[in-house]
Amino acid sequence: MNNNNYNELHDASHSFEAVIGLEVHSQLLTKTKMFCSCQNIFGKEPNSMVCPVCLGLPGALPVINFEGVRLAVKAALALNININKKSLFARKNYFYPDLPKGYQISQYLDPVSSNGYLNIETDGVEKRIRINRLHIEEDAGKLIHIGSESYVDLNRAGTPLVEIVSEPDMSSAKEAVSYLKELRDILVYQGISDGNMEEGSFRCDANVSVRRKGDEKLGTRAEIKNVNSFKFVEKAIDYEIGRQIDLILSGGNIIQETRLYDSKENVTRSMRGKEEAHDYRYFEEPDLPPLILDEEFIEKVKNSISELPQSKRKRYADEYALTSYDCEVLTQDKNIAYYFEDLIKVNAVNNKGKVEIKKIANWVINDLLFALKGIENQPALKKGNMPEQEDFFNLILEVETGNINKNTGKIVLTEMLLTGKKPADIIKEKNLAQVSDEKGLEGIIKQIFDENSKELTDLISGKDKLFGFFVGEVMKKTKGKANPKKVNEILKNFIEEKKN
Ligand code: ADP
Ligand code: MG
Ligand code: ZN
């Protein structure tokens, strides 16, 4: 291709826009499966968590797991989706070795909830993404391929899922990722899902099409299946948008199909033609009654929803004047958010001293999270094993009041994380307290003056650079424990005296 052609193509690509709709499958954190009493646990010995119902043996009858319904309704309410008081289960028929019944119990024409929305923010721009529906279904089993052989593990068969289908309202890979993160945050915060993309408990299919800007009609879409990280979702969608634009510009046609993302090569590849709903021969599940929910139940579930991350971010910004970055980091993990809020409570009630909230936020973001990362691999410490709020707050106070300096604070923090000891005990045991006592420091400084009389004369006669040298000497003598502010003060006074 010559340069001219390339530029034309490049310009032409700007006249397209992308359209993206996402289907998310999220496992529910129930104790048991959706239609039988088998345990819902990940990572057990293959085929050890199965029974006649989830194996699809003849005559076995499903029973609705009410905890699964409760979590699905909770998810729908947290996502502003209308609850349908009457919904139906349906059979979605297809053949696959991980689906012993030959059909999946799902919801089709009458889902448990429909018509909602999620507000997302991408690069500072807010946007409302409509949600078409959230319905309940069961997961399939898993195929494991080892060498040239394939095995079936049915532990996952029958695990409760919600499928959340967005309208095609996103127009970039970044927006898709914002939507997914927001959605996952909400489900994890509310204890509905563990949101683990690698283990597959939170999965996403991305539907992508492109059209010329200004066109009303949607282009033909490709569906990219089960991409297992946010990074890959972004890359897969970006690749797919580029592929479709290139194909159209070179005179080709997009076909509706299912594609797989290959993260090694960063490409999507055709997997199969896209099946249509009628291929599944949906019909109402004859073994289950309609699902009827009453107002009282819905109200009760609504009241069990705790503050959503979005609202926390807004509140932190409004009440504590934190930056949007701070709010983002603090609310990414609900444990961190609640931990931070607990620290603020401790700050409010304790009578030893008050710390600015911005400083508390900095300690959590820059020091605690950093320290947790640093020792993640140490066997003594599991991630999320945070110090008692009181202890951490006391550590902050030790530094803020000048009893130890910031660097020593970091050392104490690591020690706290590893041993669970209280900051005051660590400081005492390791003799880490700053030397702030004036008499003591004066003595040390005088001694240093004696040992460095030439430098002292130079400093007095105006070689100001040597001031730092003396501060350094004091630090050396006190093994870094001298309170730097005090040292500066005393040194300054001495030098002034000597100059006069
Ligand atoms: P299925 O994929 O199971 O057939 P749907 O027809 O409900 O299910 O659509 C699935 C997803 O595809 C929805 O999230 C929807 O927003 C999205 N979608 C539909 N048409 C397009 C399109 N032309 N471009 C991008 N996304 C689309
Ligand atoms: Mg689909
Ligand atoms: Zn079972």
Side-chain angles (χ1 to χ4, degrees):
M1 193 190 296
N2 68 35
N3 257 340
N4 264 347
N5 268 344
Y6 177 79
N7 285 337
E8 267 167 39
L9 259 184
H10 191 69
D11 289 343
S13 74
H14 288 301
S15 63
F16 284 86
E17 67 180 357
V19 174
I20 300 151
L22 298 176
E23 291 162 272
V24 168
H25 287 91
S26 182
Q27 281 179 10
L28 301 175
L29 285 171
T30 55
K31 287 214 173 68
T32 56
K33 292 186 182 179
M34 193 59 219
F35 301 110
C36 63
S37 56
C38 288
Q39 283 189 72
N40 175 22
I41 325 184
F42 180 81
K44 290 282 164 182
E45 192 191 333
N47 300 308
S48 61
M49 303 283 136
V50 292
C51 75
V53 175
C54 53
L55 288 177
L57 299 187
L61 289 173
V63 176
I64 299 171
N65 175 347
F66 218 68
E67 181 59 6
V69 173
R70 192 182 72 80
L71 290 178
V73 169
K74 192 173 180 185
L77 290 169
L79 295 167
N80 315 294
I81 312 178
N82 278 329
I83 305 298
N84 300 318
K85 286 189 181 149
K86 178 181 174 186
S87 67
L88 299 173
F89 288 98
R91 288 189 183 182
K92 181 180 184 179
N93 300 282
Y94 63 92
F95 172 79
Y96 206 66
D98 64 9
L99 189 74
K101 293 202 294 282
Y103 60 85
Q104 174 192 28
I105 304 180
S106 180
Q107 295 192 300
Y108 182 53
L109 290 180
D110 297 278
V112 69
S113 64
S114 46
N115 295 322
Y117 63 85
L118 184 59
N119 293 329
I120 62 166
E121 196 184 308
T122 316
D123 295 334
V125 181
E126 280 193 31
K127 187 167 177 181
R128 173 163 292 190
I129 307 300
R130 291 168 303 153
I131 295 176
N132 176 286
R133 61 194 270 146
L134 173 151
H135 70 241
I136 302 169
E137 59 185 35
E138 57 176 342
D139 212 342
K142 228 188 225 163
L143 293 186
I144 300 157
H145 308 283
I146 299 172
S148 61
E149 292 177 348
S150 292
Y151 298 82
V152 185
D153 175 10
L154 293 173
N155 282 351
R156 199 178 71 175
T159 294
L161 288 180
V162 283
E163 174 170 345
I164 303 162
V165 183
S166 85
E167 294 295 345
D169 285 351
M170 286 152 276
S171 41
S172 69
K174 271 191 165 174
E175 280 182 10
V177 171
S178 307
Y179 170 88
L180 284 176
K181 284 192 170 159
E182 192 65 50
L183 186 59
R184 191 182 71 160
D185 276 357
I186 291 174
L187 298 180
V188 173
Y189 258 71
Q190 300 303 331
I192 294 165
S193 165
D194 67 15
N196 192 325
M197 286 185 100
E198 277 130 55
E199 288 178 3
S201 49
F202 183 90
R203 321 194 279 271
C204 151
D205 303 338
N207 293 271
V208 179
S209 67
V210 299
R211 64 180 168 188
R212 297 211 183 250
K213 281 183 186 151
D215 277 3
E216 289 271 313
K217 202 167 158 283
L218 292 179
T220 304
R221 71 181 148 124
E223 181 182 45
I224 312 167
K225 277 275 175 209
N226 288 338
V227 195
N228 67 358
S229 78
F230 290 129
K231 197 178 87 199
F232 291 155
V233 168
E234 185 166 347
K235 288 185 152 187
I237 293 176
D238 272 334
Y239 172 85
E240 183 59 21
I241 294 171
R243 183 190 73 88
Q244 293 186 12
I245 294 176
D246 287 350
L247 187 57
I248 294 173
L249 286 177
S250 60
N253 274 325
I254 310 294
I255 47 169
Q256 183 159 331
E257 62 182 350
T258 300
R259 299 179 69 85
L260 276 185
Y261 178 64
D262 175 342
S263 58
K264 283 208 192 81
E265 312 261 322
N266 189 33
V267 296
T268 63
R269 291 207 187 86
S270 179
M271 176 167 111
R272 56 168 189 249
K274 168 88 181 113
E275 53 293 289
E276 304 278 346
H278 62 249
D279 294 329
Y280 290 118
R281 295 290 186 269
Y282 277 101
F283 64 87
E284 200 181 316
E285 168 59 65
D287 290 338
L288 288 173
L291 180 64
I292 311 283
L293 305 174
D294 61 33
E295 196 58 53
E296 199 189 337
F297 168 77
I298 298 171
E299 212 36 50
K300 225 167 117 189
V301 179
K302 198 178 266 168
N303 291 332
S304 74
I305 295 175
S306 58
E307 189 185 18
L308 296 172
Q310 227 165 30
S311 141
K312 278 196 194 297
R313 280 197 283 278
K314 198 168 170 326
R315 190 164 59 79
Y316 292 179
D318 292 349
E319 284 177 23
Y320 309 139
L322 299 180
T323 64
S324 66
Y325 171 80
D326 291 346
C327 298
E328 184 68 36
V329 178
L330 289 170
T331 56
Q332 246 166 31
D333 179 323
K334 76 170 162 187
N335 294 320
I336 304 291
Y338 286 126
Y339 191 83
F340 170 63
E341 289 175 18
D342 285 346
L343 286 174
I344 290 177
K345 279 181 209 144
V346 176
N347 187 34
V349 298
N350 97 91
N351 46 24
K352 283 179 270 179
K354 301 280 179 235
V355 181
E356 255 177 75
I357 293 195
K358 170 68 183 161
K359 280 202 174 132
I360 297 181
N362 286 347
W363 268 96
V364 173
I365 295 170
N366 299 331
D367 302 296
L368 180 61
L369 293 183
F370 184 79
L372 282 170
K373 249 186 225 149
I375 46 185
E376 205 172 349
N377 293 327
Q378 303 232 17
L381 200 102
K382 276 199 258 83
K383 206 180 153 202
N385 214 356
M386 298 191 277
E388 292 286 325
Q389 286 83 342
E390 288 269 357
D391 292 348
F392 189 63
F393 183 79
N394 285 335
L395 170 66
I396 298 177
L397 270 185
E398 296 279 5
V399 175
E400 291 304 323
T401 56
N403 189 31
I404 56 176
N405 63 33
K406 186 72 202 252
N407 258 334
T408 310
K410 290 181 188 184
I411 296 167
V412 174
L413 176 57
T414 306
E415 194 64 19
M416 284 167 67
L417 290 171
L418 289 172
T419 63
K421 285 185 185 160
K422 308 231 172 282
D425 294 341
I426 297 170
I427 293 166
K428 207 187 279 163
E429 261 171 42
K430 304 210 159 196
N431 193 19
L432 292 171
Q434 291 198 119
V435 182
S436 303
D437 136 64
E438 249 165 73
K439 281 268 136 19
L441 283 175
E442 282 175 12
I444 292 170
I445 289 172
K446 279 186 181 141
Q447 195 189 341
I448 291 171
F449 281 168
D450 289 344
E451 291 163 9
N452 302 278
S453 51
K454 182 173 178 311
E455 284 79 1
L456 181 62
T457 323
D458 289 351
L459 176 58
I460 295 167
S461 60
K463 225 174 159 194
D464 292 340
K465 267 200 303 200
L466 282 167
F467 193 83
F469 163 78
F470 282 101
V471 175
E473 287 302 301
V474 179
M475 285 304 178
K476 246 191 246 164
K477 262 221 159 60
T478 58
K479 299 205 175 67
K481 290 184 299 186
N483 178 337
K485 225 167 110 197
K486 277 267 152 58
V487 174
N488 270 294
E489 264 171 37
I490 301 172
L491 263 176
K492 236 176 231 145
N493 286 340
F494 275 175
I495 305 294
E496 285 308 310
E497 264 170 37
K498 290 198 194 280
K499 274 185 180 169
N500 296 330

